[in-house]
Amino acid sequence: MQATHSSPLSALLDLGRRVRHAESARELEFIAVNDSHALAPYRQAVLWLHDEVACLSGVVQLETNVPYVFWLRGICAALAESGEPIQRVDAGHFPGPLGEEWREWLPEHGLWLAVSPAADSPDPAPVDALLLARDMPWSEQEVAVLAEWVDIWGHAWSASQRASGGAWRGLGQVLRPGSRRGKRWWNRPVLRGALLLAVLAVIPVRLTVLAPGELVPAHPAVIRASLDGVIDTFHVQPNDPVKQGQPLFGFDEVLIQSRLDVARQALATAETEYRQTAQQALSDSRSKAQLAVLTGKIEEKRAEVAFNLEQLARARVVSPRDGVALFDDPSEWVGRPVSIGERIMRIAAPEDVEVEAWVPLADAIPLAAAAKLDLHLNASPLAPVRATLRYLAHDAVQRPDGGYAYRLRAVLDSPSEHRVGLKGTARLSGRWVPLAYWALRRPLASLRVATGW
């Protein structure tokens, strides 16, 4: 963002000059969401163009598949339908989930500034606007200055759109063939160029996509918490080689040991009471009736002792196989209460490695059952790891970054010396397609999303 000017008027003049000399629509969008801060301070800005979130302040590349952008679409669409060109908004303007999530995504006070449509634009035209949000209320002076600024920006935006349309109108004159009488069509450079493009367009190429990937264990042994408790100590460190039966970590045994001691003492007391009653039963018939009750009590105490012994054995976790211990920093686990079934670490064989990749929703191309994959690791980009597709998930799942993608697993074609956990970019190869389809697949998909065609 630009530094704040000495007065709103000088800032307005400077921003007006910049948008008049902007070289691209992308530059105009950047100025709208970031440099408007020179007129009035705010925390977040959203540019709404053609019924879609076009740009966000402080963001280099807009991710359209994240929850924040989905929520902004609903907010901006509701404000556009209201018909008010300038309005102060907050969470109370939106009933239901939109208003309830306002404080989670935006500051308390928002300002909606609609861009005036061009005089020659079709009617009705989609509402374009700038949404600003901050913690302090908006003053009348700030609203007036920002409204004037949005009007100036809208004029520059309309001019840039007309200029880009004019370039397409001149394309017909450039491609118009020469009018020289008797000139053969194959001697016309434009037609020869068009023929060359047509030939290039049908050249078959492999349909490929790129996806983030990494090396992961193929069949790891997952070590989970065997009981509810607190981890007391670790006997291994991350990435240490372990043998089958080797101790891995242990839970705090103080509470379990105390329960075991109490259970053993209760068992001894029950056995003593049984022996005394058995002696009395020789001369007292009423004592014989208590023997069955005392026998059941002894069995109950023995079960408690056996249960606590089993818990004590579970508190000492050992490795079920040979391999390498994969887990986080031990200091993050020691003293931390865990629940039964919670994953603590994995034991993986060093040579048992495969590729895991996440295919974006827009790049889910059809893949053969044994499609080839190249993983270009960030640590070794010139020596790709080659693998063969094992499976591609049918359903997209949410990733930690909030986006959705299809999980893919691939088996290495040959053993690799690279360790588990290295990340890179996976290159997937699909079927053969014409070069024109390969080049226009993503633009056509984006056009369909934007136009609904």
Side-chain angles (χ1 to χ4, degrees), residues 89-100:
V89 296
D90 54 28
H93 286 73
F94 308 95
L98 289 179
E100 295 172 1

Side-chain angles (χ1 to χ4, degrees), residues 118-407:
D120 56 351
S121 64
D123 188 33
V127 177
D128 299 334
L130 180 66
L131 175 63
L132 307 177
R134 69 181 188 184
D135 298 314
M136 301 296 294
W138 298 93
S139 66
E140 293 294 336
Q141 180 182 357
E142 290 174 328
V143 174
V145 172
L146 288 170
E148 182 65 21
W149 155 239
V150 169
D151 188 64
I152 295 173
W153 184 91
H155 185 273
W157 175 262
S158 299
S160 69
Q161 298 302 299
R162 287 195 298 269
S164 61
W168 286 105
R169 286 192 296 269
L171 184 61
Q173 297 178 358
V174 175
L175 296 179
R176 188 176 300 150
S179 57
R180 185 184 303 174
R181 182 172 299 176
K183 189 173 183 180
R184 301 291 184 181
W185 68 270
W186 55 80
N187 291 328
R188 297 174 181 176
V190 173
L191 293 182
R192 284 188 295 179
L195 180 61
L196 178 60
L197 289 176
V199 173
L200 292 176
V202 298
I203 293 179
V205 296
R206 277 279 191 186
L207 182 60
T208 59
V209 296
L210 301 179
E214 65 175 309
L215 293 176
V216 297
H219 305 92
V222 180
I223 309 300
R224 302 184 182 274
S226 55
L227 49 84
D228 295 332
V230 176
I231 295 180
D232 180 60
T233 182
F234 272 86
H235 303 294
V236 296
Q237 295 297 316
N239 298 326
D240 278 355
V242 296
K243 298 293 184 180
Q244 183 176 0
Q246 178 179 343
L248 299 176
F249 61 91
F251 288 86
D252 187 357
E253 301 178 5
V254 174
L255 181 59
I256 301 176
Q257 186 65 49
S258 63
R259 291 175 179 172
L260 178 59
D261 294 340
V262 171
R264 284 174 172 171
Q265 186 64 36
L267 175 60
T269 302
E271 290 175 344
T272 301
E273 185 178 359
Y274 176 82
R275 286 193 297 270
Q276 292 176 351
T277 305
Q279 291 177 358
Q280 294 176 0
L282 297 176
S283 59
D284 187 3
S285 59
R286 290 179 299 177
S287 299
K288 294 181 179 181
Q290 298 180 3
L291 292 178
V293 177
L294 293 176
T295 302
K297 187 176 180 181
I298 291 175
E299 293 300 326
E300 179 184 352
K301 300 305 178 182
R302 284 176 179 171
E304 290 182 6
V305 171
F307 174 77
N308 284 283
L309 286 173
E310 183 183 359
Q311 291 291 93
L312 191 61
R314 288 186 177 184
R316 302 162 187 172
V317 181
V318 299
S319 175
R321 55 184 285 189
D322 296 346
V324 176
L326 304 176
F327 63 104
D328 295 334
D329 184 7
S331 61
E332 299 267 337
W333 290 97
V334 174
R336 170 181 165 186
V338 296
S339 302
I340 186 169
E342 184 175 350
R343 192 179 79 172
I344 308 297
M345 66 172 64
R346 294 174 297 170
I347 305 298
E351 68 280 358
D352 189 24
V353 181
E354 67 180 7
V355 176
E356 181 182 67
W358 296 88
V359 181
L361 300 182
D363 291 330
I365 62 174
L367 295 173
K372 294 299 180 180
L373 176 148
D374 292 335
L375 178 62
H376 298 267
L377 297 171
N378 297 332
S380 181
L382 299 181
V385 177
R386 305 192 184 279
T388 302
L389 178 67
R390 182 162 68 89
Y391 81 89
L392 177 63
H394 289 281
D395 298 325
V397 296
Q398 188 174 16
R399 300 193 61 197
D401 59 2
Y404 284 82
Y406 295 96
R407 187 198 301 269

Side-chain angles (χ1 to χ4, degrees), residues 8-22 28 31-32 36 39 113-116 144-160 162:
L9 180 58
S10 61
L12 185 62
L13 293 175
D14 179 65
L15 289 175
R17 179 187 58 80
R18 291 180 58 193
V19 297
R20 287 195 302 272
H21 294 85
L28 286 173
I31 293 174
S36 300
L39 300 175
L113 300 163
V115 179
S116 300
V145 172
L146 288 170
E148 182 65 21
W149 155 239
V150 169
D151 188 64
I152 295 173
W153 184 91
H155 185 273
W157 175 262
S158 299
S160 69
R162 287 195 298 269

